[in-house]
Amino acid sequence: MNAYIFPGQGAQFSGMGKDLYESSAAAKKLFDEANNILRFSITDVMFEGSAEDLKQTKVTQPAVFLHSVILSQVMGDKFKPDMVAGHSLGEFSALVANKVLSFEEGLQLVYKRAMAMQKACEVKPSTMAAVLGLEDEMVEAVCADVDGVVVAANYNCPGQLVISGEVEAVEKACEALKEKGARRAMLLPVGGAFHSPLMEPARQELADAIEKVNFGKPVCPVYQNVSTFAVTDPSEIKKNLVFQLTAPVKWTQSVQNMIKDGATTFTEVGPGKVLQGLVKKIDRSAEVHSGEI
């Protein structure tokens, strides 16, 4: 069975999507439509902007979303998913590709999400850190022992877990994790504590926006970050999407469940190859590809 997976924030690169824009009339139309919806020329930043320009919150999330969704649409008959999943932001791309949301609704929600997350980041100094070489349970136990807010945020693959929370609490956790034998415990260059309780103001704001949107029936099951299992009920998809901002991204568990349910091939649709690498670390026998026109 074919699983299609969609990357999240961090996959962006300067020049992303330009090849699609120049080689496909359908892609060009969608990119132009996106500029109108967002009311600024995101294509200028994607195609010509520096890495620094692309790091702006209002650009990063819609840029990665647009690359993924437009690629899935211009792949035509090559895009035949039996199941889909997206990493954090990538879940929105997966839902548009899977006909749950329209292109315009998906883009508007992603933009609202980006701006709400930015606002939440400004409330309290917060950060994230990557922890390598420890069992998930050990990382969870250390975080639970630290004073302040610090939680497991991204279960990326066995031996790679990202923690998230208040700056001081994350720094303390990193020191304790190194003492427990972590190969690395390093702060990430991010603007805030994504997928932690500190994103609660953003979750409430996004929940209001999501509630107003009509979710359609998916073409195939979606494996969501919050639940990790196959979901086809639009109301359940909606509920999981609301909780995603404050809950951890359970990528390892989602991929394991997709494999258990018959996935043998994983095609990453969007910029970069990060998810392909994670899938191979979760199960070496899985076949991975990049989505192509």
Side-chain angles (χ1 to χ4, degrees), residues 84 91-92 94-96 98-101 210-211 215-227 229-244:
V84 296
E91 197 163 279
F92 286 81
L95 293 176
V96 174
N98 202 16
K99 309 284 192 237
V100 175
L101 291 167
I210 285 173
E211 280 313 316
F215 278 40
K217 186 96 174 137
V219 172
C220 64
V222 54
Y223 288 69
Q224 290 183 275
N225 296 172
V226 170
S227 70
F229 296 105
V231 183
T232 54
D233 175 30
S235 61
E236 199 179 334
I237 291 171
K238 191 179 268 200
K239 186 183 71 181
N240 289 337
L241 201 59
V242 169
F243 285 111
Q244 195 220 58

Side-chain angles (χ1 to χ4, degrees), residues 15-249:
M16 61 188 286
K18 195 174 182 182
D19 55 339
L20 285 174
Y21 187 88
E22 290 173 348
S23 63
S24 162
K28 181 181 185 301
K29 187 170 178 285
L30 287 168
F31 275 120
D32 290 342
E33 196 181 315
N35 287 337
N36 290 330
I37 292 166
L38 295 173
R39 295 184 183 158
F40 73 93
S41 184
I42 192 167
T43 51
D44 283 353
V45 193
M46 289 173 70
F47 304 164
E48 313 297 341
S50 66
E52 204 54 42
D53 295 331
L54 276 165
K55 261 166 53 181
Q56 298 173 73
T57 303
K58 72 170 189 175
V59 172
T60 314
Q61 295 193 27
V64 173
F65 167 87
L66 286 170
H67 192 291
S68 294
V69 168
I70 292 173
L71 176 57
S72 75
Q73 298 208 5
V74 298
M75 281 171 72
D77 289 343
K78 288 185 189 172
F79 185 74
K80 282 188 179 159
D82 296 305
M83 52 183 83
V84 296
H87 191 287
S88 188
L89 158 74
E91 197 163 279
F92 286 81
S93 312
L95 293 176
V96 174
N98 202 16
K99 309 284 192 237
V100 175
L101 291 167
S102 72
F103 176 75
E104 184 171 352
E105 287 165 340
L107 180 56
Q108 285 172 335
L109 284 178
V110 163
Y111 192 61
K112 281 175 186 163
R113 179 185 191 265
M115 302 315 277
M117 286 168 81
Q118 178 62 39
K119 230 188 291 178
C121 291
E122 288 159 8
V123 174
K124 188 162 205 172
S126 57
T127 192
M128 301 175 85
V131 182
L132 306 182
L134 282 182
E135 296 286 323
D136 292 347
E137 294 75 17
M138 173 69 76
V139 179
E140 291 163 351
V142 167
C143 287
D145 279 348
V146 172
D147 286 338
V149 177
V150 56
V151 295
N154 293 358
Y155 294 80
N156 284 335
C157 65
Q160 188 189 126
L161 204 162
V162 174
I163 60 174
S164 181
E166 294 163 344
V167 172
E168 201 179 328
V170 172
E171 286 172 344
K172 277 185 194 161
C174 284
E175 289 311 309
L177 289 160
K178 284 175 194 166
E179 284 168 23
K180 294 284 186 187
R183 201 163 72 244
R184 290 179 90 175
M186 54 185 181
L187 295 181
L188 296 172
V190 294
F194 306 140
H195 301 289
S196 83
L198 298 178
M199 283 291 117
E200 181 56 28
R203 187 193 71 77
Q204 289 172 359
E205 207 172 311
L206 190 63
D208 292 341
I210 285 173
E211 280 313 316
K212 292 173 187 154
V213 175
N214 181 42
F215 278 40
K217 186 96 174 137
V219 172
C220 64
V222 54
Y223 288 69
Q224 290 183 275
N225 296 172
V226 170
S227 70
T228 79
F229 296 105
V231 183
T232 54
D233 175 30
S235 61
E236 199 179 334
I237 291 171
K238 191 179 268 200
K239 186 183 71 181
N240 289 337
L241 201 59
V242 169
F243 285 111
Q244 195 220 58
L245 273 186
T246 50
V249 173

